[in-house]
Amino acid sequence: MITGIADALVALLNVFHRWTGSYGLSIILLTLAIKVVLHPLTRRQLGSMKAMQALAPQVQVLRDKYRDNPQQMNIEIMNLYRAHRVNPLSGCLPMLVQLPVLWALFAALRRQGLFGGETFLGAALDQVPTFAAMRDNPLLAVYPLLVGATTYLQQRLTIADPQQARMYVFMPVLVAWFATQFQVGLSLYWIVSTLAYAAEYLLVVGRSGPSPAPRQAPQILPQRPKGAKKK
């Protein structure tokens, strides 16, 4: 199945190449085309995420209230989701549908000799930007750096919980290091795909930010009857 999808994606990539004369531009167009086709699924997934984020403060209240009774906590949280017609698993199905396509695209772009040594922005698309290769061609370093930068941007947009953000603080560095182990063409796909996902997230969910601290209700002082003297 994956091989068949990968073959179809390579054929589409070659169609774009005949139009543009550039495999770099073809990768960008192919990535955006896949994003457009999968956008309804992504939109549904992000919509579920948005609903879960809206209920997060109420979920935290229930977690604190039933901290010593995990079974009752789960019952109350599920009742909360049911009352607001939110299904925590509704975001999983779109992801499962998208995964075969993404795996196939990954496999397609890793095929040896696919780009025939063609360059894009000063780097060969089928070259692996190892540290030794970067010494010979410093432009290769641009791709791992952009991979890390776009991953960081996506995290800043999508992770609102400060504690969770600290857990993923090294992820952009790790992904940038992975980019030194694969072809530049694959890094170009990652950069475009990550930026496109960030745009989809802003469109559907909006800018995430830390939840505002609850404000205390103003204290209401008892009013004195009219004509009462001040003590």
Side-chain angles (χ1 to χ4, degrees):
M1 177 181 177
I2 299 298
T3 303
I5 298 175
D7 291 340
L9 292 175
V10 169
L12 183 56
L13 180 71
N14 288 327
V15 170
F16 285 139
H17 185 257
R18 287 195 292 271
W19 291 351
T20 64
S22 167
Y23 271 118
L25 293 177
S26 300
I27 292 173
I28 294 173
L29 291 176
L30 178 63
T31 305
L32 294 178
I34 291 174
K35 281 292 183 181
V36 169
V37 171
L38 297 180
H39 179 71
L41 294 174
T42 304
R43 192 178 187 89
R44 182 176 177 183
Q45 178 189 355
L46 292 176
S48 175
M49 183 188 302
K50 183 177 182 179
M52 296 284 287
Q53 287 181 356
L55 293 177
Q58 298 179 56
V59 170
Q60 187 58 48
V61 169
L62 294 175
R63 291 186 188 279
D64 293 338
K65 183 177 180 179
Y66 298 101
R67 185 178 305 166
D68 300 325
N69 190 346
Q71 184 176 0
Q72 186 62 31
M73 178 200 301
N74 292 332
I75 293 174
E76 295 295 334
I77 291 176
M78 291 310 298
N79 287 338
L80 175 67
Y81 288 150
R82 193 175 297 112
H84 290 81
R85 298 181 180 180
V86 173
N87 184 355
L89 301 179
S90 62
C92 298
L93 181 59
M95 176 60 71
L96 292 177
V97 175
Q98 294 178 65
L99 278 178
V101 179
L102 299 180
W103 283 337
L105 181 59
F106 181 84
L109 295 179
R110 291 192 64 195
R111 291 186 177 181
Q112 294 294 327
L114 176 63
F115 306 116
E118 188 175 307
T119 62
F120 185 73
L121 299 180
L125 290 169
D126 51 8
Q127 186 174 6
V128 178
T130 62
F131 294 105
M134 289 180 201
R135 287 197 296 267
D136 297 331
N137 182 7
L139 290 176
L140 286 172
V142 171
Y143 287 90
L145 289 175
L146 287 177
V147 165
T150 52
T151 303
Y152 174 76
L153 173 63
Q154 178 181 310
Q155 288 185 194
R156 286 296 302 269
L157 288 174
T158 60
I159 300 180
D161 184 3
Q163 184 175 358
Q164 188 180 9
R166 286 193 293 270
M167 291 174 57
Y168 288 94
V169 67
F170 294 109
M171 183 61 69
V173 178
L174 184 61
V175 175
W177 180 81
F178 283 148
T180 65
Q181 313 300 310
F182 299 106
Q183 292 95 327
V184 166
L186 195 58
S187 293
L188 180 59
Y189 153 72
W190 181 277
I191 293 164
V192 177
S193 178
T194 304
L195 290 175
Y197 179 81
E200 289 178 303
Y201 187 92
L202 287 173
L203 177 66
V204 178
V205 180
R207 179 74 180 269
S208 294
S211 300
R215 295 186 299 180
Q216 292 183 348
Q219 185 179 2
I220 302 177
L221 299 176
Q223 295 182 350
R224 293 192 305 273
K226 288 183 179 181
K229 292 183 179 181
K230 218 179 202 181
K231 291 185 179 179

